[in-house]
Amino acid sequence: MTLSSARMDSHSPITVPVPLGDRAYDILVGRGLIESAGTRIAALGARAAAIVTDEHVGPLYASALTASLEAQGLRVCVITLPPGEATKSYASLEWVCDAVLAAKIERGDLVVALGGGVIGDLAGFAAAVVRRGVRFVQVPTSLLSQVDSSVGGKTGINSRHGKNLVGAFHQPSLVIADTALLDTLPLREMRAGYAEVVKYGLIDDARFFAWCEANWQGVFAGGHERDEAVAQSCRAKAAVVVRDEHENGDRALLNLGHTFGHALEKITAYDSARLVHGEGVAIGLALAFRFSASLGLCPMADAERVEAHLKAVGLPTRLSQVPGGCGTVDELLDAMAQDKKVKGGALTFILARGIGQSFIAPGIAADEVRRFLTGEISA
Ligand code: GLY
């Protein structure tokens, strides 16, 4: 079974359109795209580009991307930041904005985000505010950013009040997802990004979930299955974003597994040595399905199937697997209550009636969650 239809041959990228009217753009998915990125980016019509990257990714790919852009006659500067979540800060934003201005990037020019989610979010936000908005291109270098954060236009930084609380919707003009860049990604990061791939099947595409069960080894090994998985994830995300760009409704479905996942990230103090985002999401997906089953909404067999697949790829699925512990039920509830999806004291969850049948469930009583978590913690 193949999931892609827009591919001309094995060397041409899969193109996933994001039809957002005057903000429409393409996501290109394929191996080796970074080498031809200059041609594709130059086609957007800029004269100069500021590449924003970090100290891990920059040394690997910034010179190839710079050469590819310069070969098309673009003036290029490279802005390099420290890696890690701490870079999504006001201080880094100021640094990037000033560096972009110093490089004389004009309204018609481009910011190019070369990195994972942190760089994409920060560079995208800088592009949204410098000169009241310049265009930007995402060149995501992690699986997580290729299938999630580079698509859909959410940009931003963290505040002392929480993650991603300062930002803007600013759609990229192009996304170039070079899947060969994932060959050197640590296995743990690959698995963590894969949790978001699985999520798209669980939201509304049981066929894609079954495809993941059958093809995940190829995704990890870097075969054509990897391109198919990234492209299908981008199609799924694009479809939701086109329906609800600013998250007034359906876009919240993309938070399947994230209410529990964010709480675990908070409890582990965002310490990536203990838990990375995708691992929190994996546990959160398993919990969301078991919670749905415990509420009588979803067959337990589906929850078991979700857990079995996540376990097969080496992802955690239980609270007991959080290194250093997941805290008490009260601490978990407290962390969830501080999540931005709380409205009027009630918790909003994304629950499921089965694999591929997720829905937004507002007004879930804290007592139901407490009862469920008490069982999970003692399991
Ligand atoms: N990562 C969720 C969203 O883009 O809405």
Side-chain angles (χ1 to χ4, degrees):
M1 178 171 88
T2 180
L3 288 163
S4 68
S5 55
R7 193 168 214 177
M8 305 302 286
D9 62 58
S10 61
H11 298 295
S12 65
I14 303 172
T15 301
V16 179
V18 186
L20 276 170
D22 61 0
R23 295 175 316 294
Y25 56 96
D26 283 340
I27 305 160
L28 306 179
V29 180
R31 293 187 72 84
L33 295 184
I34 204 152
E35 277 133 45
S36 57
T39 319
R40 300 176 195 284
I41 294 171
L44 297 171
R47 287 179 309 175
I51 298 173
V52 181
T53 190
D54 71 29
E55 287 159 6
H56 282 163
V57 172
L60 294 174
Y61 309 119
S63 52
L65 186 56
T66 300
S68 171
L69 288 162
E70 286 178 345
Q72 298 300 314
L74 272 83
R75 183 169 52 76
V76 182
C77 80
V78 180
I79 301 163
T80 307
L81 294 125
E85 190 69 28
T87 287
K88 274 175 66 170
S89 65
Y90 286 105
S92 301
L93 178 70
E94 182 181 6
W95 169 264
V96 174
C97 289
D98 281 344
V100 167
L101 290 167
K104 300 197 176 352
I105 298 295
E106 306 288 341
R107 286 290 290 280
D109 295 329
L110 289 163
V111 170
V112 180
L114 173 67
V118 166
I119 288 297
D121 285 5
L122 172 68
F125 188 34
V129 295
V130 163
R131 299 190 192 280
R132 298 195 180 88
V134 297
R135 297 177 301 166
F136 86 113
V137 173
Q138 291 268 21
V139 185
T141 58
S142 67
L143 181 58
L144 185 72
S145 56
Q146 292 191 354
V147 299
D148 184 12
S149 57
S150 69
V151 176
K154 279 189 181 175
T155 71
I157 57 171
N158 303 327
S159 124
R160 71 174 61 120
H161 297 284
K163 283 180 72 170
N164 298 320
L165 291 181
V166 177
F169 286 98
H170 186 52
Q171 297 293 342
S173 298
L174 178 67
V175 181
I176 299 176
D178 183 341
T179 52
L181 305 191
L182 309 183
D183 290 349
T184 52
L185 204 65
L187 180 58
R188 187 177 175 208
E189 292 303 316
M190 193 70 192
R191 285 177 173 144
Y194 184 77
E196 298 280 359
V197 174
V198 172
K199 181 190 77 175
Y200 294 112
L202 297 178
I203 289 174
D204 64 358
D205 193 347
R207 179 174 164 271
F208 181 51
F209 181 75
W211 182 92
C212 287
E213 288 176 309
N215 292 285
W216 67 270
Q217 280 104 335
V219 177
F220 280 73
H224 67 91
E225 296 91 345
R226 181 185 289 170
D227 294 4
E228 307 262 348
V230 172
Q232 186 60 22
S233 300
C234 291
R235 280 186 207 106
K237 180 152 186 184
V240 174
V241 167
V242 166
R243 285 205 301 277
D244 177 24
E245 184 178 1
H246 296 120
E247 198 167 325
N248 297 311
D250 266 13
R251 188 162 178 164
L253 288 168
L254 298 174
N255 290 323
L256 178 63
H258 284 59
T259 303
F260 290 119
H262 284 158
L264 292 173
E265 283 187 273
K266 201 174 179 81
I267 279 177
T268 52
Y270 302 100
D271 177 359
S272 58
R274 290 176 69 188
L275 197 77
V276 292
H277 176 72
E279 292 165 342
V281 169
I283 297 173
L285 291 172
L287 288 175
F289 269 78
R290 283 200 292 277
F291 188 32
S292 300
S294 83
L295 292 170
L297 294 165
C298 160
M300 187 52 90
D302 281 20
E304 286 166 359
R305 200 173 143 201
V306 172
E307 175 166 33
H309 182 50
L310 295 169
K311 273 170 88 168
V313 307
L315 281 162
T317 56
R318 297 274 166 179
L319 291 175
S320 59
Q321 290 174 280
V322 176
C326 67
T328 63
V329 170
D330 280 327
E331 282 165 345
L332 279 166
L333 279 169
D334 197 41
M336 275 186 250
Q338 287 173 31
D339 195 78
K340 63 183 188 298
K341 288 175 287 300
V342 178
K343 276 200 181 131
L347 289 154
T348 296
F349 277 88
I350 313 302
L351 299 179
R353 296 194 174 85
I355 288 169
Q357 299 172 60
S358 298
F359 63 99
I360 302 166
I364 298 291
D367 278 354
E368 287 286 5
V369 190
R370 177 185 295 281
R371 183 190 53 73
F372 170 70
L373 287 175
T374 305
E376 285 287 325
I377 278 188
S378 53

